[in-house]
Amino acid sequence: MYTFDMNSRKPRIKTRNLQQSRSEILNAAFGEVFLKGFQGVSIDDIIKKTTLTKGAFYHQFPTKLDLGYTLVDEIIKPLIIDRWIRPLDKYENPLEGILARMKTLIGECDPAHLKLGCPLNNLVQEMSPIDKGFHERLQSALNLWVDELDRHLKRAKKSGYLKADVNTKQVALFVVMAHEGFYGMLKGLYDPNTFSALYDSMKRYFKNIEN
């Protein structure tokens, strides 16, 4: 957009906040994709949830796939760190933190949200088999989660909370698998009471690997 500077007699560009526009699009897209799936949502659906024009959308994301890839890189990956990894810093024994996050984020979650499943798992199931770009980014997100959990579990082992023969990478893989499995079962059964059985099984598993 151009305005006119009366002093210089030259046109002056009035720039909009591109980062704010980008965030608005990504937040709207995340909500729509979570509800309808990536293939089930259109660019028009997303634009309707923003205050922006279609031109502003395409300025940020030339294609729908570009938007999808960015959702993984700039929304889902940071959510993994913020929701599942960074909170473990305050626990001397990370296993306690993992259980606490499971209980808070899944066990105490609104059943209506549980019905929608996990955004990461949904995209893995929907898009990883059919698009290489999605597959690579979703694989990277899962590896990020596993590697960061492994880092905390190594800390637990060094502090004596885990048995000496425990393979922390295997435990990290199991925890991520369990998280995705929790969501899958709760989404499929739509029975929040299922969480208690799954949660108790994880606690028993942790008891077996703890010192």
Side-chain angles (χ1 to χ4, degrees), residues 54-96:
K54 187 173 287 190
F57 177 94
Y58 283 115
H59 180 74
Q60 295 281 352
F61 306 104
T63 70
K64 185 181 173 185
L65 275 177
D66 289 321
L67 171 67
Y69 298 160
T70 306
L71 281 176
V72 179
D73 292 338
E74 297 185 16
I75 299 293
I76 290 179
K77 278 187 173 182
L79 277 177
I80 290 171
I81 298 299
D82 290 342
R83 291 166 65 86
W84 295 102
I85 300 302
R86 190 168 289 119
L88 301 183
D89 289 338
K90 67 180 182 180
Y91 289 89
E92 186 176 347
N93 181 358
L95 295 181
E96 294 178 356

Side-chain angles (χ1 to χ4, degrees), residues 21-203:
S21 297
R22 185 180 185 85
S23 296
E24 185 177 353
I25 293 168
L26 287 173
N27 288 332
F30 181 75
E32 289 294 289
V33 170
F34 191 27
L35 287 171
K36 304 173 185 176
F38 184 76
Q39 296 177 87
V41 70
S42 69
I43 290 174
D44 286 339
D45 291 333
I46 295 167
I47 293 171
K48 288 176 184 177
K49 297 292 183 178
T50 73
T51 61
L52 305 171
T53 65
K54 187 173 287 190
F57 177 94
Y58 283 115
H59 180 74
Q60 295 281 352
F61 306 104
T63 70
K64 185 181 173 185
L65 275 177
D66 289 321
L67 171 67
Y69 298 160
T70 306
L71 281 176
V72 179
D73 292 338
E74 297 185 16
I75 299 293
I76 290 179
K77 278 187 173 182
L79 277 177
I80 290 171
I81 298 299
D82 290 342
R83 291 166 65 86
W84 295 102
I85 300 302
R86 190 168 289 119
L88 301 183
D89 289 338
K90 67 180 182 180
Y91 289 89
E92 186 176 347
N93 181 358
L95 295 181
E96 294 178 356
I98 292 169
L99 288 172
R101 298 310 288 167
M102 287 282 192
K103 187 172 184 180
T104 298
L105 296 177
I106 302 179
E108 298 173 1
C109 183
D110 184 337
H113 289 169
L114 290 176
K115 185 178 180 180
L116 298 174
C118 166
L120 172 59
N121 195 26
N122 291 348
L123 283 173
V124 168
Q125 297 298 322
E126 180 189 8
M127 298 304 300
S128 191
I130 63 175
D131 183 82
K132 182 179 179 181
F134 258 113
H135 172 75
E136 291 174 348
R137 287 165 176 81
L138 292 165
Q139 183 181 54
S140 176
L142 288 168
N143 283 331
L144 170 69
W145 196 350
V146 170
D147 290 344
E148 287 298 307
L149 274 178
D150 185 37
R151 177 175 62 84
H152 279 287
L153 291 166
K154 281 183 168 66
R155 172 168 65 85
K157 187 174 182 178
K158 184 177 181 181
S159 299
Y161 290 105
L162 294 177
K163 294 177 180 177
D165 62 346
V166 168
N167 184 316
T168 56
K169 184 65 171 289
Q170 289 180 356
V171 176
L173 285 165
F174 176 83
V175 170
V176 173
M177 179 277 295
H179 168 274
E180 300 296 73
F182 276 33
Y183 266 116
M185 289 294 290
L186 292 166
K187 179 181 180 179
L189 296 174
Y190 197 37
D191 179 7
N193 294 325
T194 304
F195 174 80
S196 296
L198 299 172
Y199 182 75
D200 288 344
S201 295
M202 175 165 275
K203 286 203 299 185

